[in-house]
Amino acid sequence: MSLQTKEWILHSVIFTLKHEQGSEAEIQFLADGERILTSIPTVTNFQVYKQVSAKNDYRHGFSMEFANQVDYDAYNEHPLHVQFVNERWVVEVEKFLEIDYAK
């Protein structure tokens, strides 16, 4: 359960991988993303989604919550996040849309 305050941020990204749908590579990317990103201390309520709307052609979503901007910045700068982006995201993601929400 999230504890939303006026400083709360919901970080979400919808994306399509270069991997074939249902492939081991796709499954592994989603599992690794969850495992790696949830190990960053400021990340809360991490979710992995399958995008099902016919209104766009993205296939997956990650969302996570942060208590405030300081926690969000700590996540963005965390070595595990930077490594995941550089070694996996840039290599394996075909396209994405990132959205951050606040109350």
Side-chain angles (χ1 to χ4, degrees):
M1 178 172 221
S2 72
L3 300 173
Q4 297 179 9
T5 68
K6 65 181 181 173
E7 297 176 356
W8 169 88
I9 295 171
L10 172 64
H11 173 63
S12 61
V13 60
I14 56 172
F15 56 96
T16 298
L17 295 170
K18 296 176 182 176
H19 308 300
E20 186 176 324
Q21 272 186 288
S23 67
E24 269 305 310
E26 180 184 69
I27 293 165
Q28 192 63 57
F29 179 91
L30 298 173
D32 289 347
E34 182 172 16
R35 178 181 51 80
I36 292 165
L37 299 176
T38 58
S39 71
I40 299 172
T42 60
V43 171
T44 61
N45 200 24
F46 187 94
Q47 302 290 321
V48 178
Y49 297 104
K50 177 180 178 183
Q51 197 292 119
V52 296
S53 172
K55 295 179 182 179
N56 70 71
D57 59 355
Y58 294 101
R59 292 198 322 237
H60 303 286
F62 285 163
S63 73
M64 61 201 81
E65 297 180 19
F66 299 93
N68 51 49
Q69 188 67 49
V70 171
D71 284 0
Y72 180 61
D73 292 343
Y75 158 79
N76 271 322
E77 298 164 5
H78 195 282
L80 289 174
H81 176 255
V82 172
Q83 182 179 14
F84 181 75
V85 168
N86 291 333
E87 294 180 6
R88 301 295 298 278
W89 191 266
V90 171
V91 175
E92 299 178 59
V93 172
E94 183 176 302
K95 63 181 183 171
F96 71 96
L97 175 63
E98 186 173 317
I99 303 171
D100 296 324
Y101 298 101
K103 283 232 169 202

